[in-house]
Each structure stands twice: as C-alpha cells, then as structure tokens.
Amino acid sequence: MSKKQTSEFKSKKIDQLEQSTKDYQDQVMTTNQGLKVNDTNNSLKAGERGPTLLEDFLLREKITSFDHERIPERIVHARGSGAHGYFELYKSIEKYTKAGLFTDTKRKTPVFVRFSTVAGSKGSPDLARDVRGFAVKFYTDEGTWDLVGNNMPIFFIQDAMKFPDLIHSVKPEPNNEIPQAASAHDTFYDFVSRATETLHNHIWVMSDRAIPRSYRMMEGFGIHTFRFINKDGKSHFVKFHWKPVLGVHSVTWDEAVKINGADSDFHRRDLWEAIEAGQYPEWEFGIQVVPEEDEHKYDFDLLDPTKLIPEELVPVEIIGKMTLNKNPENFFAETEQVAFLPGHIIPGIDFTNDPLLQGRLFSYRDTQLSRLGSPNFHQIPINRSVAPHHNNQRDGHMQTEIPKGQTAYFPNSLSMGCPHLAKMAEGGYTHHQERIDAHKIRGRSASFSDHYSQPALFYRSLSSWEQQHVADAYTFELGKCNHKHIQERMLWIINQIDQELAKKVADGLGLTVPKKIDEPVNQAIGADAEIEKFQPNSKKQYVDKDSSLSQANTKFDSIATRQIAFLAADQFDMKRFEPYKTALEQAGAMVKIIAPHGGSITCDQGMKHEVDAAILTTESVLFDAVLIAGGQKAVKSLQAKAKFQKFVNEALKHCKAVAALGEGEALLKHSAYKHYEKDKAVFIDAKPKAFIDAIAQHRNWERKDKVEGIAV
Ligand code: HDD
C-alpha cells in the first residue's frame, strides 16, 4: 500500500475521461436542450388544483428520463464495484511476448478494474459465498486488452456449452426466485453432483476464498491458458496471476452472514474508503510460462480450465504491479457501463483452444448488445480505447462520433484506400498459426476426464482450520438442500475427494456416506453411460501439496487499512490510549471510536473526541481487532450496555486480536472466553507492537476450538 502523497499518477485514460466528465457546480439548471428551468417541483396545471396539461414538456422530459434510467443488469456478475489505476512493469519479458505493456518498463498502462460476485443480483449483499470476478481492462497504446478473470484459478466447467446450465442451476430457482445470492439450494447441487467437472471450482467455493475479507485481499487469475507471442512469432503458453500486496485473507462464515446484515456494501465500501484514504490497493502481476514443447508434459491438459498448474511444478514469475488510485466519478457511467470482453486482445497475446475460452469469445460481445443496447458501446467513455480507432463500421443506435468522408468500405480508391491496413511493422494483429488437422466432432478430450485429482490436491494443501471451514461449508450448503438423494449423491462424490471430509459432512447432515449410487433417474435421462465414463476416475497425485493453495502461507506483514474498534466512553484513559493510537495509525490501520452514543466523548484529559459510531449502529464483525479503553468511569459505561460485551465476545469467537487497557480488562474477565489470559492474541496493557503483530497475523486460529461454545 502506498500513501496518497507518493502516488498521484494520472493516466491518459483519466485525461480522456475528464473530457466527458460534467461538473454541475455553480451551474444553472436547464433542460437537456439548454433551456433554463425555474421550477422543477410543480407540474403545469390548469389551476392549482386542476389537471396537469399535456403541454408540460418539463414534466415529460424529467419523467421519461427517469422511466428509462435502468438497463438490464449483467446476466452474471451483476453485483460489482470498480476503480481506476495503472499497471507498471518491473522487467521486460520480450523473450516471451511483444506486447508493449510487457516490454516497455517506462510505461504506466491505465487500467479499470471491476470486482464482482457471480450469482447475486445488482443489489445483493457482498458477503455471499461465491466466486469473485476480477476483471481488468488495460488501456494499452496498441489497443484495449481485457483480462476477465476470477479470484479462483479454475472454472466450474470445461466447455462454454454448459455455461447456461451452470448459471441456471446456481441462480435463484425459476419457480419462486429463491434463494438470492446463494448456492445453498437443490438445483445447484443437483447439477454439481451430476457434472463432476465442477468439483474443483466447487471445493474452492467451499473454502475461505469464497468469503474474502476485502477485494483488496484476494488473488486474481486469468484461469485459461493463453499464449504469449514474441517478436519472432514464437509462442509460449501462459497463465496470469494477481497477488495482493496485503496477502490473501478471509472472514469466517459466521461473520459473512452477519456482515451481510450489518453492512451489505462491506466490500464496496472497503474498496472505496481505502482509495479515498490514499491507501491504494496493489497487486503484483505474475506469469506461469510453459514452453510449447511441454504442452503434453503434465498429468492434466493445459486446455482444461478446471485445472491449475501447481506452483510447485511451474513457479509464478512476478513481472509487474497494479495500483488502484482513483474511485469512479459516477457508478453508472463507469462501473455499470464498463464492458469487458475476453476478445479484446493485443499483439503479443493470443488465445488457445480451451473450449471455455472459445465460447467466451462469443458471449461477451453478444451480451453487451442487450445490456448496453448498441454495437456502439465502445464509444461510451469508460469503454473507449486510448489507442485511436478508425474503421468502416458505421451508424447504429447512439452513434456519438461523426465519421467524415464519402466511403465506408474497403478496398476503396475514393479515400485513397483509407483507413488502410496495418503492416506487420505497424503492429497489425496476426493470429498464431497453429496447424489443425482434425475431424469435426461434438465431444470432449479424454485428457479432460480427471475430475478428482485437483480437488483432492486442494484439500490436502489446506491447513487444518481451512479444512474444517470446508467441511462446515459443505455441511451448511447441503443442509439447505431439501432432497435426500441430492445430499447423498454429493456425499458419495465428496468421498471420492477425501473420505475424512465426506465423513465429517455426513455426520453434520445426520446421514451416512453411501457406498453405491443407484438412481433410476440416470436411466431416464440417459446419463448412466456418461456418469460411468467420468466417475470415479482414479485420482492422481502428481504433487503431494501445493503451498500456494493455502491461505496459511500468505503474507502476514501488514495491518494497513485494518479497522480497529476502540471501545470507549466519557472519561476514558487517554494516556494509555495515545501510544496505541499513534502506533496503529503509523502502521496504516484505521482506529474508529465506538461509544455508547454518537457525537463526541471526552477523555480524562478533558479533550473531545469525535465518535465514529454509536454502539447501536455498528457490529463487531465489521472490525479486524478490538481495543478496550481504560478508565474506571468509562469502563462502567461500557459495561452498562450489554452490546459492548457481545462485541468483545464476538471478536474473541472470530479469533481476532483484542487488547484491553487498564480497567478495560473487566470486559474480558466477563467475556465468555475463559482462557483469555493465556491467548497469544489477547493483551492486557501490553506494548502496542505486540497488538499490531497479532493483527497482522489476521486471526489466532489456535483459539478456534476453545471459543466454539461462545454463543453470540
Ligand atoms: Fe463470464 C461476465 C469471469 C466464463 C459469459 N464473466 C463476467 C465477469 C467476469 C467473468 C469477471 C464480469 C465482468 C464485469 O465486471 O463486467 N466468466 C468469467 C470467468 C470465466 C467465465 C473467469 C471462466 C474462466 N462467462 C464464462 C462463460 C460464459 C460467460 C463460459 C458464456 C459462455 N460472463 C459471461 C457474460 C457476462 C460475463 C454473460 C455477463 C456480463 C458480461 O458478460 O459482460 O457474457
């Protein structure tokens, strides 16, 4: 995280957007035609109590605009938040690619990023258990490149043909439109249990990755294997990675459920506030490169998007960094209207035959036509490239440009052949020449048929607390299913991944893991042969564990932007608080005063302190750590409101760092956690550094079993 003063870079994209930005300060109100308006409160009537007149053009303009101000939400990823920033290159990788943003270390390439959940509607809560979208638009000098990825390195399905089925199964059920932004329902598990290619992405969704602490604390992945093409035309396979500088951190499911109620905009607000505070989110950019000749070297197929390349086999090479340093001016104009297309590509990068990617190349342009209403969506300011565009495409709804000249075709002589074709030396895009000699078939390669090895690798690689979270998530999700045959089928499938995991889930559901699945429906849908073909394949174990898959191995070196609740009341002990406040803020954390009432409180030194939130309006789950004020009178006031005790109990239950100053220990003493004195993340009058180090650890999972019984 860099501080605002050190990173005020303004990109050429922002310059371009400023030309379309309107500022209404000190301006008189007008109609869309520039006519000055002197009354926007009353319609034109025949007499004060009389009927409204058809003549009222002001009413008509205002109401018509309002009536049409919604556009269709995205089919998937409807709920999201965006920000501007830039990408910097650490070192040229010209040996792999000729792409300018990856060879010119002097460039700062402007980006716009949109994070999202997948299943929920536009207004759904941020902390749904779900994959997060991680879409990056690079406005490069050679054209716009969109890397439309997720926060998980694999996808649910292998072929775009199944995408509508996947989405129909996870979205609210069609008869009653229930549940919103949740995968825990019958149709999803009916599908997952029958399409076992989904299992790998699915187990990631059962893990803590699906409930991030912040967009700023999650990884991003391009998922598909792409191609890099260098200036000699040589191709390498490549996978793209984003690694957050703050590390990968999540909340627990209990917190997620409560955050959704306490602040359903939790992630949106967190991103917005961090950028406003000058705590710019940063991700390092990494690549996994595989030479063409190694295409068939691995036990999985590089074209299969349900497989990752373990970092143990091909390490990620870090080559650059992305910084988000500006919030949008207008949510609709920028974040809602931004259109990402995997087909937006630049010289030096090319596609592979990954059948999921191939289908995506069609779907995204198509969906923008109904979402944004016209093939001219590239003219919307946020979608405009910074590289100039000239071609013979014309007209259509909302054409905002005025193409000059007599011709709109190629070849022509009347316009001297212009716009003329780019020569290779001018950077014309050419596709990698791949030799294809094949039968036209509707089918899938046998090399895609291993559905169990990588879910098992993922589970094996997790720490014990992460594994427990996965078991809890399966139990919760399947517990919400109403059909026993779906639960049992899932248990049978989980058993192929890991028997201990299946047993835990079965115990939670009050079922047993079935030995055999014998469902008459398979015959009815002709699925027996298909199911036989793909399940269960004997698992392979090409690596024992991959350390990059566990959040236990992430970074724990910063408390920048962490939210610290300071529980305080009038007459709190300022002398004890001051060194904590200074140290926490110097380390980049945000200290918020939570008091019995709003307004301000006065410390024992007679100074007034503005209250950030009255206890009534906030919740423990919105904070990363808790600091309890000292001072006899103040602590008495805290004890007089039971919610302060609940606040502390909850922080303890969620394994967060808690520090008490002086008399503040009374709140800990009365907490439901009896071992607080021996806990490595609970402090009484300790040095601020100890508290800071514990916050940087994110959670003290050693406490987990001891706080199981705390009821909050
Ligand atoms: Fe997709 C949106 C990510 C497969 C069809 N997708 C969308 C967004 C993200 C992804 C991040 C939101 C972009 C934004 O913020 O505007 N999608 C993925 C990833 C996939 C994937 C990482 C697999 C690796 N998607 C996928 C397939 C299809 C689609 C296979 C269709 C065949 N996706 C769409 C879409 C969306 C979309 C319907 C909805 C809104 C939009 O495109 O712009 O076209």
Side-chain angles (χ1 to χ4, degrees):
M1 286 274 162
S2 22
K3 287 267 181 283
K4 199 165 198 164
Q5 52 274 29
T6 61
S7 180
E8 284 302 355
F9 169 70
K10 188 165 156 232
S11 71
K12 60 175 106 167
K13 180 63 193 175
I14 299 296
D15 285 337
Q16 187 202 55
L17 284 172
E18 279 175 358
Q19 291 163 26
S20 308
T21 307
K22 290 192 72 165
D23 190 349
Y24 297 95
Q25 204 61 39
D26 298 328
Q27 298 297 331
V28 64
M29 183 182 284
T30 71
T31 64
N32 285 342
Q33 310 310 314
L35 179 73
K36 289 181 183 147
V37 174
N38 65 3
D39 184 346
T40 190
N41 296 325
N42 300 295
S43 53
L44 189 70
K45 304 177 196 78
E48 273 170 7
R49 301 182 63 250
T52 299
L53 301 179
L54 184 61
E55 179 190 330
D56 192 350
F57 62 92
L58 290 181
L59 175 75
R60 273 207 310 278
E61 185 186 274
K62 188 171 174 182
I63 299 286
T64 309
S65 175
F66 174 74
D67 288 345
H68 296 270
E69 69 188 22
R70 298 274 176 278
I71 62 170
E73 66 174 35
R74 289 169 172 82
I75 302 290
V76 283
H77 296 265
R79 168 78 185 172
S81 299
H84 294 276
Y86 56 91
F87 173 77
E88 296 166 284
L89 188 65
Y90 292 157
K91 57 174 182 187
S92 166
I93 48 161
E94 63 193 21
K95 61 181 168 183
Y96 300 133
T97 176
K98 61 184 173 190
L101 85 162
F102 293 138
T103 52
D104 182 354
T105 50
K106 290 193 200 72
R107 275 196 205 186
K108 282 187 176 180
T109 303
V111 299
F112 186 77
V113 180
R114 184 172 177 274
F115 304 108
S116 48
T117 50
V118 180
S121 296
K122 193 169 173 288
S124 57
D126 281 343
L127 264 290
R129 177 175 291 285
D130 202 350
V131 176
R132 298 297 182 289
F134 194 126
V136 184
K137 191 177 273 300
F138 294 86
Y139 302 93
T140 87
D141 293 350
E142 295 80 20
T144 301
W145 176 43
D146 290 346
L147 183 58
V148 196
N150 282 341
N151 75 329
M152 300 180 189
I154 33 58
F155 200 65
F156 286 98
I157 46 165
Q158 297 169 326
D159 190 315
M161 190 77 160
K162 280 178 98 83
F163 191 67
D165 300 303
L166 167 73
I167 299 305
H168 288 169
S169 78
V170 72
K171 280 274 190 183
E173 298 186 6
N175 49 353
N176 56 13
E177 184 86 357
I178 297 175
Q180 178 54 241
S183 52
H185 57 115
D186 284 298
T187 56
F188 185 54
Y189 284 92
D190 194 17
F191 179 75
V192 166
S193 65
R194 279 164 200 289
T196 49
E197 67 197 79
T198 57
L199 291 177
H200 189 198
N201 202 157
H202 186 261
I203 195 168
W204 277 73
V205 174
M206 294 303 104
S207 80
D208 293 352
R209 303 278 183 146
I211 38 175
R213 159 64 184 82
S214 160
Y215 288 140
R216 302 173 294 118
M217 298 173 199
M218 58 185 206
E219 288 181 302
F221 302 89
I223 301 179
H224 309 285
T225 302
F226 290 87
R227 281 180 190 277
F228 266 156
I229 311 291
N230 70 14
K231 66 175 184 335
D232 302 322
K234 176 143 180 59
S235 156
H236 284 83
F237 293 110
V238 58
K239 283 199 188 268
F240 298 116
H241 295 250
W242 295 108
K243 304 247 180 205
V245 168
L246 291 178
V248 186
H249 302 289
S250 297
V251 298
T252 63
W253 179 236
D254 186 55
E255 289 169 272
V257 169
K258 290 170 177 164
I259 291 171
N260 281 340
D263 183 4
S264 60
D265 303 304
F266 186 70
H267 283 156
R268 178 174 289 183
R269 193 185 308 283
D270 167 276
L271 179 67
W272 181 274
E273 288 182 351
I275 294 174
E276 286 302 294
Q279 300 270 23
Y280 300 138
E282 292 171 337
W283 286 261
E284 290 200 299
F285 187 72
I287 50 173
Q288 276 178 304
V289 177
V290 176
E292 259 202 326
E293 34 304 359
D294 287 352
E295 179 173 1
H296 303 293
K297 177 175 155 187
Y298 301 101
D299 286 305
F300 47 87
D301 195 324
L302 291 180
L303 300 186
D304 173 357
T306 66
K307 304 296 184 297
L308 51 82
I309 309 180
E311 291 186 30
E312 302 284 333
L313 297 182
V314 181
V316 172
E317 191 182 343
I318 298 296
I319 59 161
K321 190 176 75 177
M322 174 171 77
T323 305
L324 298 183
N325 68 340
K326 187 181 177 310
N327 279 315
E329 296 293 335
N330 181 280
F331 185 90
F332 180 83
E334 297 167 79
T335 310
E336 193 58 21
Q337 292 201 107
V338 67
F340 292 93
L341 280 75
H344 286 168
I345 199 85
I346 49 171
I349 304 172
D350 205 342
F351 312 117
T352 57
N353 296 331
D354 172 341
L356 191 73
L357 175 59
Q358 294 282 321
R360 292 180 77 194
L361 296 177
F362 167 71
S363 178
Y364 288 68
R365 174 169 299 280
D366 188 43
T367 203
Q368 309 310 343
L369 297 180
S370 59
R371 203 170 74 78
L372 300 171
S374 150
N376 291 320
F377 65 84
H378 63 282
Q379 295 181 17
I380 296 172
I382 191 69
N383 294 327
R384 271 183 221 153
S385 64
V386 297
H389 66 272
H390 315 102
N391 54 46
N392 294 314
Q393 275 117 243
R394 289 289 186 274
D395 309 344
H397 281 294
M398 308 311 281
Q399 165 64 275
T400 63
E401 295 170 350
I402 306 175
K404 286 210 303 196
Q406 191 184 356
T407 61
Y409 54 86
F410 185 89
N412 69 62
S413 65
L414 296 177
S415 301
M416 300 299 285
C418 289
H420 60 80
L421 297 182
K423 302 194 177 59
M424 277 306 288
E426 291 172 333
Y429 188 86
T430 48
H431 296 266
H432 176 68
Q433 292 194 5
E434 185 184 357
R435 192 186 154 77
I436 308 273
D437 178 10
H439 294 286
K440 193 199 288 180
I441 52 153
R442 209 178 267 289
R444 208 165 297 183
S445 166
S447 57
F448 280 37
S449 67
D450 172 8
H451 300 170
Y452 292 96
S453 303
Q454 291 214 351
L457 167 65
F458 177 71
Y459 188 69
R460 272 201 313 275
S461 301
L462 298 181
S463 63
S464 62
W465 51 269
E466 289 172 297
Q467 289 187 337
Q468 186 57 47
H469 289 168
V470 169
D472 293 346
Y474 273 116
T475 312
F476 174 91
E477 297 263 313
L478 296 178
K480 292 278 188 178
C481 292
N482 297 320
H483 290 86
K484 195 167 162 216
H485 77 275
I486 294 177
Q487 294 173 315
E488 288 188 330
R489 192 176 174 84
M490 274 309 297
L491 285 175
W492 182 72
I493 278 168
I494 298 167
N495 204 39
Q496 316 302 316
I497 300 173
D498 189 281
Q499 292 179 357
E500 210 182 303
L501 172 63
K503 169 88 175 61
K504 274 189 192 169
V505 179
D507 288 350
L509 294 172
L511 297 172
T512 45
V513 179
K515 295 219 163 28
K516 194 166 172 270
I517 288 292
D518 192 11
E519 292 172 351
V521 68
N522 290 341
Q523 258 181 343
I525 60 176
D528 269 347
E530 268 300 282
I531 289 167
E532 254 334 276
K533 193 165 138 202
F534 289 113
Q535 304 166 31
N537 222 314
S538 60
K539 275 183 305 205
K540 296 176 188 159
Q541 191 158 333
Y542 25 88
V543 277
D544 178 30
K545 288 182 182 180
D546 188 344
S547 60
S548 71
L549 302 180
S550 166
Q551 292 180 231
N553 302 320
T554 189
K555 286 187 184 174
F556 298 101
D557 57 359
S558 168
I559 65 161
T561 73
R562 294 295 187 152
Q563 304 285 320
I564 318 299
F566 176 50
L567 308 186
D570 281 321
Q571 294 301 309
F572 73 86
D573 181 342
M574 184 63 192
K575 211 167 136 215
R576 279 200 164 94
F577 172 55
E578 205 153 20
Y580 269 83
K581 181 173 157 59
T582 311
L584 285 165
E585 288 181 348
Q586 267 173 6
M590 317 228 179
V591 182
K592 303 273 168 71
I593 298 183
I594 314 300
H597 55 76
S600 62
I601 52 174
T602 309
C603 66
D604 60 358
Q605 293 178 8
M607 285 182 287
K608 276 200 164 175
H609 302 261
E610 209 176 301
V611 170
D612 292 286
I615 186 73
L616 188 71
T617 63
T618 192
E619 294 292 336
S620 182
V621 290
L622 303 179
F623 295 88
D624 294 292
V626 177
L627 180 62
I628 309 167
Q632 207 128 41
K633 207 162 160 227
V635 174
K636 255 203 164 134
S637 306
L638 297 182
Q639 284 180 311
K641 280 204 188 279
K643 193 162 173 201
F644 281 107
Q645 189 67 69
K646 177 174 173 268
F647 202 100
V648 173
N649 281 349
E650 221 159 4
L652 291 166
K653 184 175 173 89
H654 297 140
C655 304
K656 295 174 183 172
V658 178
L661 305 178
E663 296 80 356
E665 190 188 352
L667 237 59
L668 282 174
K669 235 184 218 147
H670 291 111
S671 76
Y673 180 40
K674 298 299 159 221
H675 312 280
Y676 73 90
E677 280 164 317
K678 292 189 206 107
D679 190 295
K680 67 177 187 189
V682 180
F683 306 92
I684 301 129
D685 282 328
K687 291 233 156 59
K689 181 168 181 320
F691 185 43
I692 287 173
D693 290 348
I695 301 169
Q697 287 302 308
H698 188 58
R699 301 296 160 99
N700 173 20
W701 294 117
E702 286 169 18
R703 192 191 300 157
K704 193 172 179 299
D705 295 336
K706 295 185 211 139
V707 289
E708 204 64 34
I710 297 184
V712 276

